[in-house]
Each structure stands twice: as C-alpha cells, then as structure tokens.
Amino acid sequence: MTSFYLKIVASDHVFFSGRCESLAVPAEDGEVGILPHHEAMILATKEGEVRFRPVGEGNWRKAITGRGIVQVANNRIIILVDTAERPEDIDEARAREALARAKEQLRQKQSLREFKMSQASMARALSRLKGSHLKEL
Ligand code: ATP
C-alpha cells in the first residue's frame, strides 16, 4: 500500500508525525478525504475531527481539532491547527463550561471581533463534546 508523510502540529505540541495511508479533514463544505500522491493544495479546516490511518494500523486514529490549515505537497501533508486533542483526553466538564461561557458571551452585546471569537469558542467546545462521544449537548 502506498503512503504519505503526515505531520499534525498544534500551537502547543506536535500531535502526530509519521506515514499514513489515508486522511480525512473537516473543511468548510464537508469532510475532505486525502490519499497518497494527492495533488498539491492548501485547504482551510474548521473545528471538528481529523481522522488518519497510520501505515500498519487497521484502525483510524482521531484528533479533535480547532481551526487550521492543511498543506499538501510532494506526498507530504502538514496540518497546522490551533488545538488538537485525542478524544480520550478531552475534559468534558471543561468543554461544557467553555460552551456555557461562549453562549453567555453571545447573549451580550459584542464587537464583531468578540462575536467571532465567541462563535469560534462555541464551535471548539461543541466539537470537543461531540468528539468525546457525549450524546447530549
Ligand atoms: P477553555 O475556555 O476551556 O480554555 P479553549 O477552547 O479556550 O477552552 P484552547 O485555547 O482551545 O481552549 O486550548 C488551550 C489548551 O487546552 C490546548 O492545549 C487545548 O488542546 C486544551 N484544551 C482546551 N479545552 C480542552 C478540553 N475540554 N479538554 C482537553 N483539553 C482541552
């Protein structure tokens, strides 16, 4: 099976680095699947779940990620995201608190910039709760 090199970099750590067989990233208009030898591209990703299958592993690994950017070039893929967590490392209580805080901020009068930041914070919290397999939001 052919493979590609993948590196997932969050602002505070390298989440993953190694060879993979397939990848799926959350883009604005839905999930984008990427296989080896994909054509060169730059893609913006939104809050959600990045899935990838390392060489020799039967299962997909998951990263719950914040916004970011994907660069595909020469069979190497770099994903730069503000945050990346393994689903099992997500602190649900913290995500619930962040969600409540963001909702409260959205009820207040805010500048456009503050509004966008609250929206992003809410999206991060929701994707963390979804990613940690919490059913009830
Ligand atoms: P909070 O308001 O709870 O701090 P946040 O979305 O503002 O959430 P970030 O700035 O996105 O926090 O992340 C700061 C660091 O904390 C990052 O390393 C991120 O991966 C981690 N992190 C944030 N929320 C959680 C969570 N619920 N569970 C596990 N790690 C988290």
Side-chain angles (χ1 to χ4, degrees), residues 13 29 38 75 106:
H13 68 296
D29 47 1
H38 195 285
N75 210 33
L106 286 168

Side-chain angles (χ1 to χ4, degrees), residues 57-117:
E57 290 186 20
N59 294 329
W60 290 84
R61 287 204 214 171
K62 291 178 183 171
I64 307 305
T65 52
R67 286 181 192 176
I69 196 155
V70 181
Q71 182 202 37
V72 182
N74 301 322
N75 210 33
R76 292 168 64 86
I77 303 180
I78 313 287
I79 302 182
L80 293 174
V81 280
D82 50 9
T83 58
E85 296 113 36
R86 296 188 305 165
E88 58 269 37
D89 291 338
I90 287 175
D91 178 340
E92 290 180 11
R94 179 174 167 183
R96 277 180 185 282
E97 280 169 24
L99 179 61
R101 217 168 30 245
K103 281 183 172 170
E104 180 52 38
Q105 285 163 355
L106 286 168
R107 275 193 282 271
Q108 313 290 327
K109 189 164 167 44
Q110 293 181 302
S111 68
L112 184 59
R113 181 176 153 75
E114 288 166 338
F115 173 72
K116 295 274 181 201
M117 287 175 69

